[in-house]
Amino acid sequence: MNQRFRITRTMQDNLPEQAITLEECKQYFASQPDFTYSQVFTVKGPESIMTIEGDFFMWRLEDSEIPFRLYGGDLYVALSAEEIVPKMLEIATDLRADVVEG
């Protein structure tokens, strides 16, 4: 099972806007190479396909796509590969946010 992390501003008292907004994410990720926006994320298993609706910023990593999901003012990502850690930290720094497990 993959660890899940949250990029959040909820721990910061000095920011007037603690929520990470969809507009902010769209602007930020549009300037990042290898990212695309999607309103659905599809997970294909051996016997089924599950589609999840939401706001996803998909990062192309070699032959796979890693979803960063905006939900409730925070970005969530599961660590399915070690290359995700530096990208997650870069995004958190750029968005003036913290990274917490969960």
Side-chain angles (χ1 to χ4, degrees), residues 34 59-66 81-83:
D34 303 326
W59 180 40
R60 167 83 47 205
L61 178 62
E62 297 172 3
D63 292 335
S64 61
E65 285 190 323
I66 309 300
E82 65 183 58
E83 294 90 352

Side-chain angles (χ1 to χ4, degrees), residues 78-90:
L79 297 187
S80 56
E82 65 183 58
E83 294 90 352
I84 297 171
V85 173
K87 181 56 76 175
M88 174 182 65
L89 295 174
E90 175 187 326

Side-chain angles (χ1 to χ4, degrees), residues 25-62:
C25 285
K26 283 183 174 181
Q27 182 178 9
Y28 173 74
F29 286 109
S31 69
Q32 299 299 307
D34 303 326
F35 273 92
T36 56
Y37 173 72
S38 178
Q39 292 182 322
V40 294
F41 175 59
T42 303
V43 180
K44 297 177 184 174
E47 297 180 16
S48 64
I49 297 175
M50 178 174 64
T51 301
I52 304 166
E53 293 184 7
D55 295 302
F56 296 92
F57 297 90
M58 305 300 292
W59 180 40
R60 167 83 47 205
L61 178 62
E62 297 172 3

Side-chain angles (χ1 to χ4, degrees), residues 4-16:
R4 186 176 77 154
F5 284 84
R6 181 169 54 115
I7 299 172
T8 184
R9 293 184 186 140
T10 58
M11 299 166 36
Q12 299 182 18
D13 295 329
N14 60 340
L15 290 176

